Amino acid sequence: KDYVISKTLKDLEENLGSAFYRIHKSFLVNVSHIKEYSKEGGSFIVLKNGKKLTVSHRRKDKFAKEFLKTL
């Protein structure tokens, strides 16, 4: 589902806590919905619903450390 809200992703990121992670300036994802993470051919994640999202260049190392901790 799509939702329209009048808050920035930064505001949402601060309010939602550690269950969500900012992987890109345009993407805030629920960590429990991540199926896989790959650095091959650029950094990206695949969600359980099959969507493929890019992890930004500046956030990929920190995300990899945090994501691997949850496994």
Side-chain angles (χ1 to χ4, degrees):
K1 289 184 177 182
D2 291 333
Y3 296 96
V4 178
I5 58 172
S6 62
K7 295 215 179 251
T8 64
L9 282 180
K10 183 178 180 180
D11 291 336
L12 290 173
E13 181 181 17
E14 291 170 357
N15 292 323
L16 292 173
S18 62
F20 287 80
Y21 197 87
R22 185 89 176 257
I23 61 166
H24 190 276
K25 73 175 188 173
S26 301
F27 303 124
L28 183 63
V29 296
N30 186 333
V31 175
S32 65
H33 287 260
I34 297 173
K35 181 178 177 181
E36 69 180 81
Y37 171 66
S38 177
K39 285 187 174 181
E40 295 180 26
S43 296
F44 64 90
I45 62 168
V46 178
L47 299 176
K48 290 180 181 178
N49 66 3
K51 289 188 180 186
K52 185 176 173 181
L53 301 173
T54 302
V55 179
S56 76
H57 176 72
R58 293 183 178 176
R59 298 175 194 256
K60 69 181 177 181
D61 291 332
K62 184 177 178 186
F63 174 74
K65 287 179 188 175
E66 295 294 320
F67 181 67
L68 293 176
K69 259 199 279 188
T70 63
L71 294 178

